C-alpha cells in the first residue's frame, strides 16, 4: 500500500508551489519600496507586472471553470492583488508617457483580451469541458511565452559575461516553483499546468548554469572612490580652476596695460607732430 495517495501528493506539491510562488510574487517589493522612497519609477517598466496580472487572471478563470481548484485560486488571487498594488504604485510615480503606456497595456491585456477570452468561450463553447480545454491551451501558450522571456537576459549574460542582471536567488526560486507546479499538474493529470512548467524548469536550470559559468568573471569597472578621495579630487580641481582664472586675469591685465601704453605713445607722437607743425608754421611766418 503506498505511503501517500496521488491526491495527497498533488495537494502537497500544490501547497509547496503556493509557498514558493508567494515568495516570487513578493520579490519585486524592494523595487517598489525604492520607487516609493524616491518618488520616481527611475526607468522601470510596467510590462512584467501587466503580463503577470494577465497570467494570474487567466489561471483564476481556468480554476473557476475546473472547479475544486482551491490551490490555483489562492495563489492566483494573491498574484492578482499584489500585481494590482505594484501597478498602482507605478502609476502614481511614473512619468506621463510611462503612465499612458501602462494604461494601454492594462486596457489591452486585462480588459480587452481577457474580456474577449471570457466572452467568446461562453458564447461559442457551450460545453464546460470544451471551454476548459480552450482556456487551458490559452493559459499554456501564454505561460510558455512568459517562460521564454528570460532568453533575452541569458543572451545579455553571454554577451557581457556578467550576471549582474540575473540574480541567482530569483533563478533558483523560479526553477523550484516550476518543479512544484509541474508535479502538481502531473499528479492531477492536468497537462495545461504540467507542460509549460517543463519549459520553465529547463530555462531555470540553464540560467543557473550560466550563473555558475560567469559568476567569477572579472568585470572592467571603475574603482570605488572613498569620500576622502573625492574631497582631494575636488580640491585639486578647484586649484586648477583658480590657477586658470588667475592666468586669464593676468593676461587680461597685461593686455590692458599694453593698450594703455600704446594709447600714451600714440598721444605723445601726436603731440610731437603738433609741436613740429607749430615750429614749422612759426618759422614760415617769420620768413
Amino acid at each position: 500500500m503506498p505511503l501517500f495517495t496521488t491526491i495527497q501528493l498533488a495537494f502537497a506539491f500544490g501547497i509547496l508551489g503556493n509557498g514558493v510562488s508567494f515568495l516570487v510574487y513578493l520579490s519585486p517589493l524592494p523595487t517598489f519600496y525604492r520607487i516609493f522612497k524616491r518618488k520616481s519609477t527611475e526607468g522601470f517598466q510596467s510590462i512584467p507586472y501587466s503580463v503577470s496580472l494577465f497570467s494570474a487572471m487567466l489561471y483564476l478563470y481556468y480554476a473557476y471553470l475546473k472547479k475544486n481548484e482551491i490551490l490555483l485560486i489562492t495563489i492566483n488571487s494573491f498574484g492578482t492583488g499584489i500585481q494590482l498594488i505594484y501597478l498602482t504604485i507605478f502609476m502614481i510615480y511614473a512619468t506621463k508617457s510611462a503612465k499612458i503606456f501602462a494604461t494601454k497595456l492594462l486596457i489591452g491585456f486585462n480588459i480587452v483580451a481577457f474580456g474577449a477570452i471570457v466572452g467568446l468561450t461562453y458564447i461559442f463553447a457551450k460545453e464546460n469541458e470544451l471551454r476548459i480545454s480552450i482556456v487551458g491551451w490559452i493559459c499554456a501558450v501564454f505561460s510558455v511565452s512568459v517562460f521564454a522571456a528570460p532568453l533575452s537576459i541569458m543572451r545579455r549574460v553571454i554577451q557581457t559575461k556578467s550576471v549582474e542582471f540575473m540574480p541567482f536567488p530569483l533563478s533558483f526560486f523560479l526553477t523550484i516553483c516550476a518543479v512544484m507546479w509541474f508535479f502538481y499538474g502531473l499528479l492531477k493529470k492536468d497537462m495545461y499546468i504540467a507542460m509549460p512548467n517543463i519549459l520553465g524548469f529547463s530555462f531555470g536550470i540553464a540560467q543557473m548554469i550560466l550563473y555558475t559559468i560567469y559568476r567569477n568573471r572579472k568585470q572592467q569597472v571603475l574603482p570605488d572612490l572613498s569620500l576622502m578621495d573625492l574631497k582631494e579630487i575636488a580640491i585639486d580641481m578647484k586649484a586648477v580652476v583658480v590657477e586658470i582664472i588667475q592666468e586669464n586675469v593676468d593676461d587680461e591685465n597685461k593686455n590692458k596695460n599694453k593698450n594703455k601704453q600704446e594709447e600714451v605713445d600714440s598721444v605723445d607722437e601726436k603731440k610731437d607732430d603738433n609741436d613740429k607743425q607749430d615750429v614749422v608754421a612759426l618759422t614760415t611766418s617769420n620768413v
Side-chain angles (χ1 to χ4, degrees):
M1 183 176 179
L3 187 61
F4 298 104
T5 64
T6 303
I7 296 175
Q8 289 174 331
L9 285 172
F11 184 78
F13 278 109
I15 291 291
L16 291 172
N18 267 256
V20 180
S21 297
F22 181 83
L23 294 176
V24 172
Y25 275 129
L26 291 180
S27 62
L29 271 179
T31 297
F32 283 90
Y33 179 72
R34 177 178 171 181
I35 290 173
F36 173 75
K37 290 285 286 183
R38 300 191 179 185
K39 312 298 182 189
S40 171
T41 54
E42 298 180 326
F44 289 107
Q45 299 294 319
S46 61
I47 297 174
Y49 313 106
S50 299
V51 170
S52 184
L53 175 61
F54 182 59
S55 177
M57 290 171 65
L58 274 178
Y59 272 104
L60 269 178
Y61 180 46
Y62 177 71
Y64 166 75
L65 293 174
K66 280 205 72 175
K67 313 293 184 186
N68 300 321
E69 285 288 351
I70 187 65
L71 294 176
L72 280 181
I73 291 173
T74 53
I75 190 58
N76 286 292
S77 296
F78 175 76
T80 300
I82 196 71
Q83 298 304 330
L84 285 172
I85 292 172
Y86 291 154
L87 286 166
T88 301
I89 296 172
F90 183 90
M91 294 292 281
I92 291 171
Y93 298 111
T95 60
K96 184 178 179 180
S97 59
K99 287 179 182 178
I100 293 172
F101 182 72
T103 303
K104 288 179 179 178
L105 278 179
L106 286 171
I107 293 173
F109 271 118
N110 307 104
I111 296 178
V112 176
F114 183 74
I117 291 169
V118 173
L120 292 173
T121 50
Y122 265 95
I123 293 170
F124 295 105
K126 300 299 183 182
E127 296 180 1
N128 195 54
E129 288 299 321
L130 177 60
R131 201 175 294 153
I132 290 172
S133 179
I134 293 171
V135 176
W137 275 112
I138 292 172
C139 290
V141 170
F142 189 77
S143 295
V144 166
S145 65
V146 170
F147 281 129
L151 283 173
S152 60
I153 299 175
M154 294 166 66
R155 180 185 176 188
R156 186 170 185 177
V157 169
I158 294 171
Q159 287 176 339
T160 62
K161 295 180 173 54
S162 168
V163 293
E164 179 184 0
F165 299 100
M166 193 182 68
F168 182 82
L170 184 58
S171 299
F172 175 77
F173 281 113
L174 285 173
T175 305
I176 297 299
C177 187
V179 170
M180 297 304 163
W181 287 113
F182 166 74
F183 281 110
Y184 176 82
L186 184 66
L187 293 167
K188 295 274 289 186
K189 297 180 180 179
D190 190 331
M191 65 176 180
Y192 305 118
I193 296 176
M195 281 195 311
N197 285 289
I198 296 174
L199 190 63
F201 171 76
S202 302
F203 280 129
I205 294 295
Q207 286 182 42
M208 289 191 287
I209 291 172
L210 279 179
Y211 187 93
T212 304
I213 294 171
Y214 293 111
R215 66 189 177 94
N216 292 324
R217 295 293 180 94
K218 293 182 179 180
Q219 304 174 48
Q220 293 181 351
V221 295
L222 293 174
D224 295 332
L225 297 176
S226 66
L227 186 60
M228 290 300 296
D229 293 333
L230 292 172
K231 188 175 180 181
E232 289 177 3
I233 291 171
I235 292 171
D236 291 340
M237 290 179 67
K238 184 179 178 181
V240 171
V241 170
V242 169
E243 185 177 350
I244 292 171
I245 293 172
Q246 188 62 44
E247 287 179 357
N248 290 334
V249 170
D250 291 341
D251 291 340
E252 188 175 349
N253 288 335
K254 286 179 181 179
N255 290 332
K256 285 181 179 180
N257 292 334
K258 184 178 180 181
N259 291 334
K260 284 182 180 180
Q261 186 63 42
E262 288 177 352
E263 289 177 2
V264 171
D265 293 341
S266 178
V267 169
D268 289 341
E269 288 178 1
K270 286 181 179 179
K271 188 176 180 181
D272 290 341
D273 291 340
N274 290 334
D275 290 341
K276 288 179 180 179
Q277 289 176 2
D278 291 341
V279 170
V280 170
L282 182 59
T283 305
T284 305
S285 63
N286 288 333
V287 171

